[in-house]
């Protein structure tokens, strides 16, 4: 008999469970530690480079282009081929199947370029040698002649030439033009938003092991094993079933391994199949930074209309995005920036335009937030400018613009916001951070302090949960129970440090009412669960948790049917309690014993599970629909200090209240919020990517690219999982996705820095602060405000003289 999950509500409605089940170790809501935590710390966790290498393993190194754009006229690789230890050298001609690993079938991501170089540092050939050192040394011996072509290295230039990787896109509600014309106040501006390197600790790596019949097994550090499988099958000219991809864990992905693992997987797979020897490609850190895509940098131009209360009544906003040389995921990323133009605010009549610029730079890709952060950082600056224009507290302007509950609640993509909790979250943070009192204190401090200035800002986050490409919102799982009652758990999600595996295991522990240590967490493998989506869009636990629960329920229902018949009780009288199964008042057996009896009675103890997110739909043609199942919310209050003579800045206190719904695992969720916040802080303050005029990335190592250090963590960091957190939708145990949203809480740091800078001009001049707010950028902005003050002063004198 088959039943749907909802028919099993006799036990516990998943959302009703507020606290961990007593007597159960590691069910949902328990703060179980990351399953690999101790192994991460001791170094025992096996990453791909830790897998023991079989005899004969080859090592690969890429050979990079030294121009940004041009034709390869001659490629002399003879010295490379004859270098010590070299076994084979690949060029585009050696790709047996299709020379493309583009994720969206745009056919613009060659494994190795066939004649045309598209960016400085692009791999143009690849060496396989007995050792990694030999491969790297040999790669330096190539002699390549180019015929250079004009290289487009900036967004402005690409925009001017109308050079795009995907067509421009528009999203609109009402009539922005006439709303702006009618507006009492109006302001326009331009903001530049920098990119970000993922800086995962484990760089890109694939270890390919040849199998029978030209098949291949890939240990690949990827967020998207199914896509790597399909891409590599195409590259090899083989069916998908000839390629198996396995990933136990990544040392961080952050979006950088959503699509960009394929190229390295392809090269190692080609070598493995060609030579019959295992082949490993592990990028050196500098190569990784040069050769793989990053967070997209944006130029945003806006024109906003607002009333005396600072309420926005019209907005015209344009995003021009640096996508790099190929499409990759840029179209969806630019869409997500558009979807988050509103952040938490009702924008009234609005027009949003997006240009996806093609440049001769590395192809940019997913990064935590997937374009959403760039959209949100712009609107938050706009709100601050409105506040300064009207001499009002920015918090009050934010509150005035929040989506309403029953009105003013449609987004620019015509979705009604049904789960808005921002008013409540704001009340919490204003009270817990003591915002009003500190605001007054800081104003007083700044009035007396000519050099050091302090700044304070509260910014909210509303982040849409679901892939905006609706069909991606599906997941699968596989569960076996062995005869001793131990469980083997597998699903399509990948572990990159975010704690997905432990959360899904907790869901299964809860369903069977067995301790977490009875469940074996296993590597993601395309042979076990097929056709999966990337672990991305923060929906890993939402979707794989549901799929695993579905599989568990299938087996559980079989056990219930079996026990009901065996003991002659009604199915409804059978209850799973911690470690045991109560069979009416007839019997009470251990879970493992019931499993054994079921096996002997020939009951299947293995099941697949599946989940497809309900309710969502989106029509991209009309830019309207319900792309998101629900929204994740959070709010942060950041206080900073800047030195107006050096531009240095420091975050001194942060208060966060974040809505994770009813947390599956509060310990993991806290880790995600802290980590996401700090990563966002890095993006907005210290991480700066810089290319020279030749298109060469000069910030390609930690020596020149500054990610936050331990000492950058706010001295006073107060994080609260919102105690009233809830999900109005039937998500897994009513939890909420937490992977990406906290990154955007860091916008409060950027806004606090802008607030400190504004105090230089007593709030009378609007600071022009782009991102990242490096010391240099802060100094420029301070100088701009000071200049503005002098100009105002002259105006006043001139006016008085008249
Ligand atoms: N946390 C860690 N430790 N490492 C990561 O690579 N990636 C982030 C986020 N948190 C990441 C992380 C990104 S970009 C996403 S989309 C989500 O985790 C993906 O996992 P989830 O869907 O299970 O939340
Ligand atoms: Mo996350 S950017 O969706 O991998």
């Amino acid at each position: 008999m088959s039943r749907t999950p909802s028919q099993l509500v006799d036990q516990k409605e998943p959302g009703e469970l507020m606290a961990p089940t007593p007597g159960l170790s590691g069910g949902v809501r328990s703060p179980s530690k990351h399953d690999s935590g101790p192994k991460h710390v001791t170094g025992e966790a096996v990453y791909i480079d830790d897998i023991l290498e079989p005899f004969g393993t080859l090592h690969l190194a890429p050979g990079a282009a030294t121009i940004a754009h041009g034709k390869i006229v001659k490629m002399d690789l003879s010295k490379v081929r004859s270098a010590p230890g070299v076994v084979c050298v690949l060029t585009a001609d050696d790709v047996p199947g299709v020379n493309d690993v583009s994720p969206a079938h745009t056919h613009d991501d060659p494994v190795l370029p066939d004649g045309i170089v598209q960016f400085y540092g692009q791999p143009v050939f690849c060496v396989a040698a007995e050792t990694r050192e030999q491969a790297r040394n040999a790669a330096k011996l190539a002699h390549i002649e180019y015929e250079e072509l004009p290289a487009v290295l900036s967004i402005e230039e690409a925009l001017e030439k109308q050079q795009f990787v995907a067509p421009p896109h528009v999203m609109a509600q009402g009539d922005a033009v006439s709303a702006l014309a009618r507006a009492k106040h109006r302001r326009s501006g331009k903001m530049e938003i920098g990119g970000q390197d993922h800086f995962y600790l484990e760089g890109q790596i694939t270890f390919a092991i040849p199998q029978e019949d030209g098949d291949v097994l890939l240990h690949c550090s990827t967020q998207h094993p199914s896509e790597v499988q399909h891409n590599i099958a195409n590259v090899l000219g083989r069916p998908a079933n000839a390629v198996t991809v396995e990933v136990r864990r990544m040392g961080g992905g952050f979006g950088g391994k959503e699509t960009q693992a394929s190229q390295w997987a392809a090269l190692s797979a080609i070598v493995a199949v060609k030579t019959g020897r295992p082949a490993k490609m592990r990028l050196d850190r500098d190569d990784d930074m040069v050769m793989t895509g990053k967070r997209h940098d944006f130029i945003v131009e806006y024109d906003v209309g607002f009333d005396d209360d600072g309420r926005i009544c019209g907005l015209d906003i344009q995003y021009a995005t640096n996508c790099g040389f190929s499409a990759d995921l840029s179209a969806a990323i630019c869409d997500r920036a558009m979807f988050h133009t509103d952040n938490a605010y009702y924008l009234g009549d609005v027009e949003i335009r997006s240009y996806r610029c093609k440049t001769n730079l590395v192809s940019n890709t997913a990064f935590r937030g997937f374009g959403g952060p760039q959209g949100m950082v712009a609107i938050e600056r706009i709100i601050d400018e409105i506040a300064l224009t009207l001499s009002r507290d920015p918090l009050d302007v934010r509150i005035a613009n929040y989506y309403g509950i029953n009105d003013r609640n449609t987004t620019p993509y015509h979705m009604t916001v049904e789960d808005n909790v921002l008013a409540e979250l704001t009340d919490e943070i204003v009270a817990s951070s003591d915002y009003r009192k500190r605001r007054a204190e800081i104003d007083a401090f700044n009035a007396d302090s000519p050099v050091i200035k302090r700044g304070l800002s509260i910014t909210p986050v509303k982040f849409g949960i679901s892939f905006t490409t609706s069909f991606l919102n599906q997941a699968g799982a596989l569960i076996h129970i062995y005869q001793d009652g131990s469980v083997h758990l597998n699903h399509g999600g990948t572990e990159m440090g975010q704690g997905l595996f432990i959360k899904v295991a907790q869901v299964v522990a809860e369903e069977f009412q067995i301790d977490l240590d009875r469940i074996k967490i296993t590597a993601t493998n395309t042979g076990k669960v097929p056709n999966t989506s990337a672990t991305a869009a923060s929906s890993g636990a939402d979707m794989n948790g549901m799929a695993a629960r579905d599989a568990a329920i299938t087996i559980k229902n079989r056990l219930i049917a079996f026990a009901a018949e065996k003991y002659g009780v009604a199915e409804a009288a059978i209850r799973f309690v911690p470690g045991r199964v109560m069979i009416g008042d007839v019997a009470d057996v251990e879970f493992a014993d019931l499993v054994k009896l079921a096996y002997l009675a020939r009951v299947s103890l293995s099941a697949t599970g599946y989940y497809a997110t309900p309710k969502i739909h989106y029509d991209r043609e009309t830019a309207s629909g319900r792309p998101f199942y629900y929204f994740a919310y959070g709010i942060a209050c950041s206080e900073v200090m800047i030195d107006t003579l050096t531009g240095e800045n420091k975050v001194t206190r942060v208060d966060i209240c974040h809505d994770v719904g009813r947390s599956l695992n509060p310990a993991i969720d806290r880790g995600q919020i802290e980590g996401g916040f700090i990563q966002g802080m890095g993006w907005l303050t210290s991480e700066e990517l810089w290319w020279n005029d030749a298109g060469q990335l000069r910030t390609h190592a930690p020596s020149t690219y500054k990610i936050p250090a331990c000492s950058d963590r706010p001295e006073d960091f107060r994080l609260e999982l919102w105690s009233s957190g809830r999900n109005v939708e039937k998500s897994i145990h009513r939890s909420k996705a937490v992977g990406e949203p906290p990154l955007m809480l860091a916008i409060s740091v950027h806004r606090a820095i802008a607030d400190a800078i504004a105090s230089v001009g007593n709030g009378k001049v609007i600071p022009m602060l782009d991102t990242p707010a490096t010391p240099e950028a802060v100094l420029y902005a301070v100088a701009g405000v000071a200049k503005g003050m002098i100009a105002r002063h002259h105006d006043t004198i001139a006016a008085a003289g008249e």
Side-chain angles (χ1 to χ4, degrees):
M1 103 207 55
S2 80
R3 267 185 285 200
T4 59
S6 58
Q7 287 172 275
L8 257 179
V9 288
D10 73 295
Q11 301 262 322
K12 240 170 265 137
E13 214 281 311
E16 295 310 309
L17 213 56
M18 298 295 283
T21 304
L24 185 65
S25 162
V28 299
R29 318 261 186 265
S30 79
S32 302
K33 63 174 177 279
H34 193 291
D35 48 291
S36 298
K39 286 184 278 185
H40 290 155
V41 176
T42 58
E44 284 166 288
V46 176
Y47 293 90
I48 291 173
D49 208 31
D50 299 318
I51 297 172
L52 281 181
E53 290 166 9
F55 179 74
T57 296
L58 295 174
H59 299 267
L60 277 59
T66 51
I67 58 163
H69 193 204
K71 281 188 196 135
I72 300 173
V73 181
K74 192 175 156 211
M75 185 144 60
D76 178 2
L77 300 175
S78 52
K79 283 194 181 139
V80 182
R81 289 181 203 281
S82 60
V86 171
V87 172
C88 74
V89 180
L90 304 181
T91 65
D93 295 339
D94 297 295
V95 177
V98 183
N99 185 8
D100 178 54
V101 286
S102 62
H105 309 293
T106 38
H107 295 282
D108 53 357
D109 280 314
V111 179
L112 293 169
D114 192 5
I116 301 275
V117 168
Q118 300 257 39
F119 72 95
Y120 200 112
Q122 182 173 20
V124 287
F125 67 94
C126 178
V127 192
E130 300 291 346
T131 71
R132 197 160 168 269
E133 213 45 40
Q134 287 173 330
R136 281 169 61 76
N137 285 335
K140 293 175 196 149
L141 304 175
H143 179 78
I144 304 174
E145 285 170 28
Y146 302 99
E147 182 187 318
E148 286 205 48
L149 296 167
V152 173
L153 300 175
S154 71
I155 294 175
E156 289 93 340
E157 198 180 341
L159 200 57
E160 194 192 301
K161 295 198 161 120
Q162 299 273 296
Q163 195 173 291
F164 305 125
V165 296
H169 189 52
V170 180
M171 200 177 263
Q173 174 171 259
D175 179 358
V177 176
S178 49
L180 280 167
R182 280 196 313 269
K184 174 116 188 256
H185 307 275
R186 197 163 162 178
R187 220 194 117 69
S188 57
K190 179 174 169 184
M191 182 175 194
E192 292 187 19
I193 302 170
Q196 184 178 26
D197 188 84
H198 300 86
F199 224 101
Y200 24 56
L201 290 181
E202 178 204 41
Q204 301 279 353
I205 179 167
T206 294
F207 186 23
I209 300 172
Q211 310 286 301
E212 286 185 1
D213 306 321
D215 294 0
V216 66
L217 165 65
L218 302 173
H219 293 280
C220 176
S221 187
T222 174
Q223 294 171 240
H224 201 345
S226 283
E227 187 174 89
V228 170
Q229 177 201 15
H230 295 138
N231 273 338
I232 287 12
N234 275 333
V235 165
L236 295 175
R238 298 291 313 281
N241 64 10
V243 180
T244 303
V245 176
E246 174 157 316
V247 48
R248 171 59 185 87
R249 60 171 65 82
M250 280 162 272
F254 305 113
K257 295 171 181 169
E258 196 175 330
T259 62
Q260 303 228 341
S262 280
Q263 190 170 15
W264 327 110
L267 291 165
S268 39
I270 295 169
V271 170
V273 170
K274 196 178 157 101
T275 62
R277 295 170 65 170
K280 188 195 281 187
M281 185 156 207
R282 166 165 69 83
L283 286 188
D284 174 80
R285 173 66 59 184
D286 298 69
D287 286 346
D288 194 304
M289 289 187 76
V290 167
M291 295 178 180
T292 69
K294 302 160 201 325
R295 182 187 293 287
H296 293 66
D297 43 314
F298 278 55
I299 294 178
V300 187
E301 288 177 72
Y302 50 87
D303 186 352
V304 64
F306 48 98
D307 66 16
D308 287 334
D309 295 327
R311 271 198 179 188
I312 295 173
C313 52
L315 174 67
D316 179 283
I317 189 164
Q318 172 177 309
Y319 299 110
T321 302
N322 171 22
C323 301
F325 78 94
S326 72
D328 189 81
L329 297 172
S330 293
I333 288 163
C334 291
D335 282 2
R336 193 171 268 271
M338 300 171 84
F339 283 123
H340 289 83
T341 300
D342 60 347
N343 187 14
Y345 312 113
Y346 177 69
L347 298 178
D349 293 304
V350 54
E351 179 171 317
I352 307 164
R353 287 180 307 283
S354 162
Y355 296 97
R356 293 94 204 266
C357 300
K358 179 180 160 128
T359 56
N360 292 108
L361 293 166
V362 68
S363 188
N364 284 325
T365 193
F367 196 138
R368 207 170 193 170
F370 206 79
Q374 292 94 318
M376 283 159 58
V377 88
I379 193 69
E380 291 302 339
R381 185 169 109 166
I382 292 170
I383 296 265
D384 279 350
E385 292 187 355
I386 293 172
L388 281 169
T389 306
L390 300 173
S391 297
R392 292 183 55 127
D393 187 320
L395 176 64
D396 296 326
V397 176
R398 289 193 160 83
I399 293 171
N401 280 289
Y402 278 166
Y403 278 111
I405 302 296
N406 299 315
D407 64 340
R408 294 170 49 87
N409 61 359
T410 53
T411 65
Y413 44 94
H414 308 269
M415 172 172 171
T416 305
V417 180
E418 294 168 348
D419 57 6
N420 183 357
V421 294
L422 277 165
E424 289 168 76
L425 280 176
T426 306
D427 288 347
E428 293 258 344
I429 202 87
V430 169
S432 67
S433 70
D434 217 357
Y435 176 82
R436 304 278 177 196
K437 190 164 150 245
R438 283 164 67 206
R439 174 85 269 165
E441 269 170 24
I442 287 171
D443 289 346
F445 172 92
N446 286 339
D448 275 353
S449 174
V451 175
I452 304 294
K453 300 284 185 186
R454 287 161 65 191
L456 185 68
S457 175
I458 290 182
T459 61
V461 167
K462 163 182 141 290
F463 191 75
I465 302 301
S466 292
F467 287 96
T468 58
T469 305
S470 299
F471 78 83
L472 295 174
N473 295 286
Q474 55 172 317
L478 175 68
I479 292 177
H480 309 314
I481 308 182
Y482 297 105
Q483 292 173 47
D484 64 355
S486 66
V487 174
H488 176 105
L489 168 62
N490 197 269
H491 53 80
T494 56
E495 177 64 43
M496 56 195 104
Q498 85 277 41
L500 172 65
F501 281 11
I502 192 78
K503 283 185 172 178
V504 178
Q506 287 174 264
V507 168
V508 173
E510 189 70 46
E511 208 52 57
F512 288 132
Q513 293 286 300
I514 54 176
D515 289 346
L516 194 57
D517 63 9
R518 299 291 285 160
I519 297 167
K520 177 65 72 185
I521 287 171
T522 62
T524 318
N525 186 304
T526 54
K528 285 188 187 168
V529 176
N531 307 320
T532 55
S533 295
T535 307
S538 302
S539 49
D542 281 20
M543 297 204 306
N544 294 288
M546 278 294 196
R549 180 164 182 259
D550 181 44
I553 286 173
T554 300
I555 301 177
K556 194 169 158 184
N557 281 340
R558 289 185 201 139
L559 291 172
I560 290 173
F562 160 71
E565 196 184 318
K566 178 173 169 67
Y567 293 95
V569 300
E571 289 189 8
I574 294 172
R575 281 173 55 229
F576 284 65
V577 296
R580 310 184 72 79
V581 184
M582 315 286 286
I583 298 158
D585 42 20
V586 180
D588 164 2
V589 292
E590 281 196 20
F591 176 80
D593 293 339
L594 182 66
V595 163
K596 183 77 185 194
L597 291 171
Y599 164 74
L600 293 171
R602 299 190 293 176
V603 173
S604 164
L605 296 171
S606 172
T608 59
Y610 182 77
Y611 178 72
T613 312
K615 290 193 175 180
I616 47 177
H617 56 90
Y618 186 66
D619 178 7
R620 202 169 173 277
E621 287 293 305
T622 57
S624 63
R626 177 187 178 141
F628 304 118
Y629 187 32
Y630 64 88
F631 293 99
Y633 296 90
I635 196 157
C637 177
S638 293
E639 184 180 334
V640 302
M641 218 174 234
I642 64 165
D643 182 326
T644 52
L645 296 181
T646 63
E648 284 167 289
N649 57 73
K650 189 163 179 54
V651 184
T652 48
R653 175 171 164 187
V654 173
D655 293 68
I656 288 173
C657 185
H658 198 79
D659 176 16
V660 291
R662 291 181 190 156
S663 176
L664 285 175
N665 181 326
I668 294 287
D669 285 353
R670 293 182 75 88
Q672 283 293 290
I673 296 166
E674 289 182 6
F677 182 87
I678 301 289
Q679 193 169 41
M681 236 177 72
W683 168 49
L684 293 168
T685 59
S686 64
E687 296 180 41
E688 185 172 29
L689 293 162
W690 193 82
W691 282 265
N692 66 14
D693 292 344
Q696 189 180 12
L697 179 66
R698 302 304 289 158
T699 48
H700 52 76
S703 52
T704 42
Y705 184 78
K706 195 191 171 311
I707 61 170
C710 300
S711 53
D712 294 314
R713 188 182 188 276
E715 280 158 28
D716 189 353
F717 198 170
R718 309 182 191 194
L719 162 59
E720 191 198 322
L721 301 184
W722 189 32
S723 56
S724 308
R726 55 186 183 263
N727 196 333
V728 297
E729 300 299 339
K730 287 187 174 144
S731 61
I732 185 73
H733 291 278
R734 302 278 178 159
S735 62
K736 280 189 171 183
V738 71
E740 295 165 290
L743 181 129
M744 289 150 272
L745 295 170
I747 295 172
S748 58
V749 170
H750 192 261
R751 295 294 87 217
I753 294 173
D755 181 58
I757 297 170
S759 75
V760 171
N762 303 324
K764 297 199 159 44
V765 181
I766 294 174
M768 289 295 115
L769 186 67
D770 293 339
T771 88
T774 57
E776 202 179 341
V778 169
L779 269 187
Y780 272 119
V782 165
V785 170
K787 230 163 129 188
M789 283 304 279
I790 292 166
R792 280 177 76 99
H793 186 63
H794 285 317
D795 287 350
T796 319
I797 293 169
E802 268 172 15

